Amino acid sequence: MKFYISATGIKKVTISNPGVGFGKGSGGGGGCSASRRFSGRTFLLLLLLLALVLPFIFVRFAFLVLESASVCDSPLDCMGLRLLRGGDDTSLKIGEELTRALVEETEQDVNGRVTKGSLDSFDDLVKEMTLKRRDIKAFASVTKKMLLQMERKVQSAKHHELVYWHLASHGIPKSLHCLSLRLTEEYSVNAMARTRLPPPESVSRLTDPSFHHVVILTDNVLAASVVISSTVENAVNPDKFVFHIVTDKKTYTPMHAWFAMNSASSPVVEVKGLHQYDWPQEVNFKVREMLDIHRMIWRRHYQNLKDSDFSFVEGTHEQSLQALNPSCLALLNHLRIYIPKLFPDLNKIVLLDDDVVVQRDLSSLWEMDLNGKVVGAVVDSWCGDNCCPGRTYKDYFNFSHPLISSNFVEDDCAWLFGMNVFDLKAWRQTNITEAYSTWLRLSVSSGLQLWQPGALPPTLLAFKGLTQSLDPSWHVAGLGSRSVKSPEEILKSAAVLHFSGPAKPWLEISNPEVRSLWYRYVNSSDIFIRKCKIMN
């Protein structure tokens, strides 16, 4: 069977079959005039009927010509038969032959390799088939290679887009950098920016258990201001709140300056740098060991992705790139496991990440009974049964290792970090921090293959069996992902919205659908916010 495409394209079909021709009609000479005159109405109806019928006749005729070229010795020999009984059998034969050709081509190219010089467009394919008069098997072969090449280009583009998107999430916007620099300058020239925090008359509240203590570990001045302003604005009794901000040495100065100059609109705020803590040498050694192991896990994970050219082979997910975020190596993230040592005089706190916004009063969290557990966290989800609010354990851990498979079920939901109630008194009666260090050493001895980079995986292991589930409405996470899946009514009713994921609300890549929920708590009247064009 030979199937040819004319060089003139769709306008003309040529069937190469010697011996068959069409004679000229003999009745085309000078015709006689009609003996009967038709009325204008009859003529119009006739034209309308022909306009409806002729396209179907033409399509049917063209299709039968193509069919007859492949299954008949001569098109005219079987044309009449096709017109009478239809072309179903022939259509099936052509379909079967085309399918067989594609299957054969797939079997010959099981590895999906595309040969060099493959065609790039359908126009090129038409020209190739026309000039070289290929048969249907060659057509199937070239089409298969073209589709594979196009599919690989699309997948490559998607992978690169995802990598670039995550790289964009790692940067610090110019506006935030400007804010830190201006506040640092203000700290050096303005005595008000160096005012003691909190003022002397409020120092006693820092350890008073009758107040609601909120802990924020961050190096982002703007984010910390949004967390505090949203909490205060939605609190029934804001004077009951005491905020403890722990930051690094480089951010301490601008952080202190911001809250010192905005103390009138805030309750008691303590800003403390890590350089101001005087920890025993033993604790310092454990912290350094913890950071070294996390860096080793991160480097191994990064090298694996680099060796694969950041391509997403089977078994890797978008979380693989998220794990490469610099925050996975940030000291402030990993110090959450040392909160009892950071606040030795407190018994109950609420920990808030700096990428959250508060929409409801949080006071009842301090009155909540944790039933002897150490941490209260959202585990179940607003989306119903068998639906996790965050990720499952298999997203964090390597379940092919017996140390992991013996401790967790891979499809179970992992509890959310970002808005948590901690009973520090109960924590001090356990060995959670020591268990955390033990799991880090086990990771090293197991070849750094137990979990993906980040502070949460070993934390989930250390807190196993010590977590109290909270109502899902307390904490809705995932707003920093590429697409927000939470319904609008869930977002409005949630107590805390968490922009977990790379698309933080202060970045240009953040989701515009939820960005406004965060920006409404930015102090747009502040002179430094305006000068640094934060709202732009």
Side-chain angles (χ1 to χ4, degrees):
M1 179 189 70
K2 299 292 182 178
F3 172 62
Y4 301 111
I5 300 176
S6 170
T8 58
I10 300 175
K11 296 181 181 179
K12 182 178 179 182
V13 176
T14 302
I15 304 173
S16 178
N17 213 334
V20 177
F22 290 91
K24 294 182 179 179
S26 58
C32 60
S33 60
S35 60
R36 188 173 181 178
R37 182 168 301 179
F38 291 96
S39 66
R41 183 176 180 181
T42 306
F43 183 70
L44 223 79
L45 289 173
L46 182 60
L47 281 180
L48 181 59
L49 181 63
L50 289 175
L52 293 173
V53 174
L54 283 179
F56 294 101
I57 296 176
F58 174 76
V59 172
R60 180 62 177 162
F61 183 80
F63 183 69
L64 292 178
V65 168
L66 291 175
E67 285 186 347
S68 63
S70 60
V71 300
C72 298
D73 294 333
S74 170
L76 291 181
D77 289 343
C78 60
M79 186 67 65
L81 183 60
R82 295 294 171 202
L83 286 171
L84 290 175
R85 76 176 186 183
D88 294 339
D89 295 340
T90 303
S91 299
L92 289 174
K93 290 181 180 178
I94 291 179
E96 291 174 358
E97 186 163 352
L98 181 58
T99 302
R100 184 165 55 252
L102 288 172
V103 170
E104 290 176 0
E105 176 59 31
T106 302
E107 291 174 350
Q108 293 171 3
D109 195 18
V110 292
N111 294 324
R113 289 181 290 230
V114 181
T115 58
K116 291 184 178 180
S118 56
L119 300 173
D120 294 326
S121 69
F122 185 75
D123 288 341
D124 293 339
L125 175 61
V126 172
K127 292 177 182 177
E128 174 81 9
M129 295 296 102
T130 300
L131 295 175
K132 297 187 178 180
R133 302 175 70 83
R134 302 288 191 183
D135 59 20
I136 196 168
K137 187 172 182 179
F139 173 80
S141 174
V142 177
T143 303
K144 176 70 175 179
K145 289 182 173 64
M146 180 186 295
L147 291 175
L148 285 173
Q149 187 182 49
M150 289 180 178
E151 183 179 1
R152 286 183 175 272
K153 285 182 178 179
V154 170
Q155 291 299 325
S156 176
K158 287 182 178 179
H159 296 160
H160 282 89
E161 188 254 349
L162 188 59
V163 171
Y164 297 151
W165 189 78
H166 279 274
L167 288 176
S169 71
H170 298 172
I172 300 176
K174 180 181 177 180
S175 57
L176 293 188
H177 187 62
C178 165
L179 182 64
S180 292
L181 289 178
R182 287 185 176 272
L183 288 171
T184 301
E185 181 185 13
E186 194 70 14
Y187 184 89
S188 62
V189 299
N190 188 347
M192 182 179 295
R194 298 191 298 272
T195 304
R196 182 177 176 181
L197 286 177
E201 63 272 15
S202 300
V203 171
S204 60
R205 296 186 183 185
L206 296 179
T207 57
D208 191 334
S210 64
F211 286 87
H212 304 323
H213 296 273
V214 179
V215 172
I216 308 169
L217 286 75
T218 180
D219 60 355
N220 188 322
V221 177
L222 182 65
S225 70
V226 169
V227 174
I228 293 179
S229 62
S230 62
T231 304
V232 172
E233 186 172 327
N234 291 285
V236 175
N237 188 0
D239 292 334
K240 289 285 290 183
F241 283 81
V242 176
F243 295 91
H244 304 265
I245 299 177
V246 179
T247 188
D248 54 21
K249 188 174 182 179
K250 67 178 177 60
T251 314
Y252 172 77
T253 298
M255 189 78 73
H256 185 105
W258 173 270
F259 288 101
M261 292 187 295
N262 290 277
S263 59
S265 59
S266 303
V268 176
V269 177
E270 176 192 30
V271 178
K272 197 168 184 179
L274 292 176
H275 59 288
Q276 296 174 323
Y277 284 92
D278 186 18
W279 284 350
Q281 187 64 29
E282 179 186 359
V283 176
N284 288 329
F285 174 78
K286 289 183 177 180
V287 170
R288 284 197 297 269
E289 180 188 38
M290 173 186 69
L291 290 178
D292 288 341
I293 294 175
H294 278 296
R295 289 192 184 101
M296 292 167 60
I297 297 172
W298 189 93
R299 282 195 294 267
R300 178 184 177 87
H301 192 82
Y302 174 79
Q303 190 61 44
N304 290 340
L305 280 180
K306 187 178 179 181
D307 292 342
S308 65
D309 195 23
F310 293 93
S311 59
F312 289 89
V313 295
E314 184 179 359
T316 62
H317 307 83
E318 184 176 343
Q319 289 89 341
S320 298
L321 282 177
Q322 290 187 22
L324 297 181
N325 194 298
S327 63
C328 291
L329 299 177
L331 173 60
L332 290 171
N333 281 341
H334 296 295
L335 278 180
R336 287 183 284 195
I337 198 66
Y338 286 96
I339 283 180
K341 294 186 181 299
L342 290 171
F343 303 99
D345 300 319
L346 298 181
N347 290 329
K348 199 169 191 179
I349 62 136
V350 168
L351 176 69
L352 294 178
D353 276 0
D354 62 1
D355 55 350
V356 307
V357 62
V358 178
Q359 300 188 127
R360 275 192 357 226
D361 181 40
L362 302 181
S363 300
S364 59
L365 289 174
W366 283 267
E367 302 169 2
M368 190 174 295
D369 185 7
L370 297 182
N371 298 315
K373 303 297 178 62
V374 175
V375 57
V378 171
V379 180
D380 300 322
S381 176
W382 49 264
C383 53
D385 297 335
N386 301 319
C387 175
C388 291
R391 303 179 194 168
T392 59
Y393 284 113
K394 66 182 177 183
D395 294 322
Y396 295 104
F397 296 102
N398 175 19
F399 275 85
S400 63
H401 200 286
L403 279 175
I404 299 300
S405 57
S406 61
N407 279 276
F408 292 122
V409 177
E410 56 182 286
D411 291 324
D412 284 352
C413 296
W415 51 272
L416 294 178
F417 228 155
M419 194 292 296
N420 304 104
V421 186
F422 285 100
D423 186 340
L424 300 186
K425 185 176 180 180
W427 188 335
R428 296 185 185 100
Q429 297 173 359
T430 67
N431 62 342
I432 290 175
T433 305
E434 290 74 15
Y436 184 94
S437 300
T438 300
W439 276 108
L440 289 178
R441 298 188 192 100
L442 284 174
S443 176
V444 175
S445 62
S446 302
L448 305 172
Q449 298 179 355
L450 297 185
W451 59 75
Q452 288 194 358
L456 184 54
T459 303
L460 294 173
L461 289 164
F463 279 88
K464 185 176 182 295
L466 297 172
T467 305
Q468 174 66 32
S469 178
L470 302 181
D471 187 273
S473 65
W474 278 110
H475 186 186
V476 173
L479 274 66
S481 59
R482 290 164 65 87
S483 60
V484 178
K485 301 177 182 178
S486 305
E488 185 177 353
E489 60 272 14
I490 297 296
L491 295 179
K492 289 182 178 180
S493 62
V496 174
L497 298 179
H498 190 184
F499 290 81
S500 55
K504 303 304 181 186
W506 52 84
L507 298 176
E508 291 186 4
I509 64 171
S510 60
N511 196 314
E513 297 177 4
V514 293
R515 185 188 302 157
S516 60
L517 299 175
W518 187 85
Y519 265 98
R520 71 174 65 173
Y521 296 104
V522 174
N523 184 4
S524 58
S525 63
D526 183 81
I527 184 173
F528 298 105
I529 295 293
R530 294 202 308 271
K531 285 184 177 180
C532 293
K533 300 180 180 180
I534 298 291
M535 299 303 292
N536 290 344

